[in-house]
Amino acid sequence: MGISFTVLSSGSTGNATVVRNEDTTLIIDAGLSAKRIDELMEQRELSGEELDGILVTHEHSDHIKGLGAVARKYDLPIYANEKTWEAINKSVGKIAEEKRIVMDSGEVRDFGSLRVESFQISHDAAEPVGYCFYDGDEKLSVATDLGYMSDKVKQAISGSDVLVLEANHDIEMLRMGRYPWNTKRRILGDLGHLSNDAAGEAMSELLTGDLKRTYLAHLSRDHNQMDLAKMTVRAGMEDRGCFYKDSEFKLCDTYYDRPTPWDKVSEP
């Protein structure tokens, strides 16, 4: 079967992604209500009873809004590093001690035949992480909510077959937007969010023979558009001498209000 996944929702209004293989199904973050997550999973013919655990990237509300409710409803273990646990303790509600599992940043853990590796990212949270998933030769990486693309992050996600990567904002749209300057400065800073331009620069280094698709994720509804994000990322790659054909590599959409189709990492 290999790895397949669906981005249930992506953006400042809520984030959740399901990754599965033949014997394990995990959800990354639960940033929407439990009811809404159920609705989105149902659209992909998936039920909460099929989930084996929840991986947490960081404590911001658009990533943990429904965390406690989903975990209690389906009796799921929650995996997060110690600093993230400290940050979510008050908001997650009552979780049985045996369901509170510490997964250190940089740790590699096997969930059945699905191997998961966390890696640290730069964001204004306690200890935010991204995740890589492995099944045999297949590799899927998820890296959003990062202020910049560090060499360590590039190293962690290099060699991916499929990548979910943040392209949060168009810099000029953000600068001209309605947010107060301190919020704009936070988003633009090293602990903020990855811009379309920064995503394009990163992709010019990450596109190798292994990478088949990149899903642009966590787009701002106020300061970005999917067509603009894809155009900017592609232009940034081409400016750095990185050209590709759509038959060889694709930039793919994510949505805040509906899930992406199931994608099998093994598919060309």
Side-chain angles (χ1 to χ4, degrees), residues 12 123-124 168-169 174-175 177-193 220 222-223:
S12 58
H123 194 51
D124 57 348
N168 176 257
H169 58 275
L174 176 62
R175 286 176 175 163
R178 60 181 175 83
Y179 287 1
W181 174 243
N182 62 330
T183 303
K184 295 178 183 179
R185 185 168 56 187
R186 168 194 166 264
I187 294 170
L188 291 165
D190 285 350
L191 298 178
H193 290 278
S220 167
D222 294 311
H223 305 118

Side-chain angles (χ1 to χ4, degrees), residues 22-121:
E22 62 182 354
D23 57 32
T24 301
T25 303
L26 300 171
I27 185 167
I28 310 170
D29 292 331
L32 307 98
S33 69
K35 179 181 179 181
R36 183 59 178 154
I37 288 175
D38 279 345
E39 291 172 349
L40 294 167
M41 288 196 297
E42 186 177 353
Q43 291 180 38
R44 290 294 164 258
E45 300 181 340
L46 179 72
S47 70
E49 285 83 2
E50 297 175 66
L51 298 175
D52 295 300
I54 308 174
L55 303 171
V56 181
T57 61
H58 65 290
E59 72 272 16
H60 290 168
S61 61
D62 58 322
H63 293 261
I64 66 160
K65 180 179 180 180
L67 178 60
V70 172
R72 285 185 291 274
K73 183 175 183 178
Y74 298 112
D75 193 30
L76 296 173
I78 300 173
Y79 299 84
N81 57 56
E82 286 190 6
K83 289 184 179 179
T84 299
W85 267 117
E86 291 172 4
I88 67 177
N89 265 328
K90 292 182 179 179
S91 57
V92 75
K94 187 176 181 180
I95 301 293
E97 196 61 36
E98 66 271 16
K99 301 295 183 180
R100 294 170 167 263
I101 301 176
V102 173
M103 182 171 175
D104 295 330
S105 298
E107 181 178 343
V108 179
R109 184 182 287 256
D110 290 332
F111 297 81
S113 60
L114 183 65
R115 176 161 290 188
V116 181
E117 178 182 11
S118 75
F119 56 90
Q120 281 191 268
I121 58 176

Side-chain angles (χ1 to χ4, degrees), residues 212-225:
K212 296 175 284 191
R213 292 178 293 287
T214 291
Y215 285 75
L216 299 182
H218 213 297
L219 271 69
S220 167
R221 292 174 64 185
D222 294 311
H223 305 118
N224 211 353
Q225 298 173 357

Side-chain angles (χ1 to χ4, degrees), residues 107-264:
E107 181 178 343
V108 179
R109 184 182 287 256
D110 290 332
F111 297 81
S113 60
L114 183 65
R115 176 161 290 188
V116 181
E117 178 182 11
S118 75
F119 56 90
Q120 281 191 268
I121 58 176
S122 174
H123 194 51
D124 57 348
E127 192 173 322
V129 297
Y131 291 99
C132 297
F133 300 85
Y134 304 86
D135 183 339
D137 294 333
E138 297 179 13
K139 180 177 181 179
L140 164 70
S141 297
V142 179
T144 67
D145 295 76
L146 60 164
Y148 73 102
M149 181 65 70
S150 69
D151 289 340
K152 288 185 178 180
V153 172
K154 291 175 189 174
Q155 182 178 2
I157 65 180
S158 65
S160 298
D161 297 289
V162 180
L163 173 63
V164 179
L165 179 67
E166 180 171 53
N168 176 257
H169 58 275
D170 174 80
I171 294 174
E172 289 308 312
M173 286 182 69
L174 176 62
R175 286 176 175 163
M176 298 297 291
R178 60 181 175 83
Y179 287 1
W181 174 243
N182 62 330
T183 303
K184 295 178 183 179
R185 185 168 56 187
R186 168 194 166 264
I187 294 170
L188 291 165
D190 285 350
L191 298 178
H193 290 278
L194 209 65
S195 69
N196 296 340
D197 297 272
E201 181 179 356
M203 282 302 307
S204 68
E205 299 180 43
L206 292 168
L207 184 58
T208 66
D210 298 314
L211 189 60
K212 296 175 284 191
R213 292 178 293 287
T214 291
Y215 285 75
L216 299 182
H218 213 297
L219 271 69
S220 167
R221 292 174 64 185
D222 294 311
H223 305 118
N224 211 353
Q225 298 173 357
M226 182 54 72
D227 288 345
L228 174 61
K230 291 166 79 171
M231 181 181 70
T232 305
V233 169
R234 182 160 191 160
M237 297 171 68
E238 291 177 351
D239 287 347
R240 294 169 178 82
C242 184
F243 299 93
Y244 63 88
K245 297 178 181 178
D246 289 337
S247 59
E248 299 170 349
F249 170 78
K250 290 187 172 78
L251 290 173
C252 304
D253 300 358
T254 62
Y255 316 97
Y256 73 91
D257 59 350
R258 63 190 188 275
T260 62
W262 281 109
D263 187 351
K264 292 184 177 180

